[in-house]
Amino acid sequence: MKSEFPTIKTERLLLRQFVENDLENVFKGLSHPETIKYYGVNYQTLEAAKEQMTFFADLEKKETGIWWAVCSPDNLTFYGAGGLNSLSKEHQKAEIGFWLISDFWGRGLMKEVIPLICDYGFNKLGLHRIEGIVETENKNCKKAMAKLGFQHEGTMKECEIKNGKFISLDIYAKLNAIF
């Protein structure tokens, strides 16, 4: 990856590097019961949410992914986050992830963010495959993945334990069309 963090700007969105001042918004998003219902991490305190900020920074440092803060174009409103992790240069693939603060649900933001992230992954990182791992019960995310051109490849039944119960995960993938 490049040493300078890539900023992506559209008419409605700014995808930028996380900064220290984002901590409260990250906590707001990743402590909200509806946001974390199907998300892999959650935080009960502002102090604990610093772990997520470290995760974002470590991805870039270790070149195992990249996550952006998703904001309004003027950078005054923080909407959520999106990015790529589990990046494998050898296999030219990564896993996509995203979340929004609940105040901004239903505004079509992720329909704009996901293609930007995919474009970056395919055209700047040279990826061939971008995967989305979605809890089987997360019907809204599964619908969004399908609308955005990700193909459902299968279900890993009862493959993880969450809150003391086995959960199933659906695998979605999008391939770079130029290969």
Side-chain angles (χ1 to χ4, degrees):
M1 279 187 246
K2 297 177 182 176
S3 58
E4 186 177 318
F5 192 90
T7 298
I8 301 171
K9 191 169 184 177
T10 68
E11 207 173 284
R12 253 179 31 125
L13 298 169
L14 170 67
L15 279 65
R16 61 158 173 79
Q17 188 170 28
F18 281 89
V19 295
E20 209 173 299
N21 289 346
D22 292 329
L23 178 60
E24 286 187 32
N25 285 314
V26 169
F27 173 68
K28 181 179 180 180
L30 296 181
S31 64
H32 188 281
E34 286 301 307
T35 303
I36 64 171
K37 184 175 181 179
Y38 299 114
Y39 201 69
V41 297
N42 66 78
Y43 300 101
Q44 302 307 311
T45 66
L46 192 62
E47 187 65 29
K50 286 182 181 178
E51 183 180 317
Q52 190 68 26
M53 300 294 283
T54 301
F55 168 80
F56 295 140
D58 281 352
L59 282 176
E60 185 184 356
K61 185 171 33 175
K62 295 175 182 172
E63 296 188 354
T64 56
I66 183 168
W67 271 68
W68 289 270
V70 178
C71 305
S72 60
D74 59 10
N75 199 27
L76 295 177
T77 306
F78 183 99
Y79 297 137
L84 300 165
N85 46 272
S86 302
L87 183 121
S88 168
K89 291 179 182 178
E90 177 185 3
H91 299 292
Q92 298 177 335
K93 68 178 186 171
E95 181 182 335
I96 196 162
F98 51 88
W99 57 267
L100 287 176
I101 291 176
S102 61
D103 300 346
F104 305 107
W105 292 356
R107 298 185 185 187
L109 294 172
M110 279 303 151
K111 286 183 204 162
E112 291 181 51
V113 172
I114 299 304
L116 296 172
I117 294 171
C118 289
D119 182 65
Y120 185 85
F122 291 141
N123 297 314
K124 302 292 186 200
L125 298 178
L127 299 179
H128 175 65
R129 175 184 171 91
I130 296 177
E131 300 171 339
I133 311 297
V134 182
E135 286 187 33
T136 300
E137 299 298 315
N138 191 346
K139 295 179 186 349
N140 287 338
C141 185
K142 290 172 25 171
K143 263 195 271 184
M145 296 300 276
K147 281 183 185 175
L148 291 165
F150 283 77
Q151 300 298 310
H152 182 257
E153 295 186 332
T155 301
M156 296 184 294
K157 297 190 184 291
E158 298 184 3
C159 63
E160 289 186 4
I161 297 174
K162 183 175 179 181
N163 300 324
K165 295 180 181 178
F166 282 100
I167 61 166
S168 299
L169 298 174
D170 287 345
I171 301 171
Y172 287 81
K174 187 173 200 165
L175 303 178
N176 190 343
I178 61 170
F179 281 94

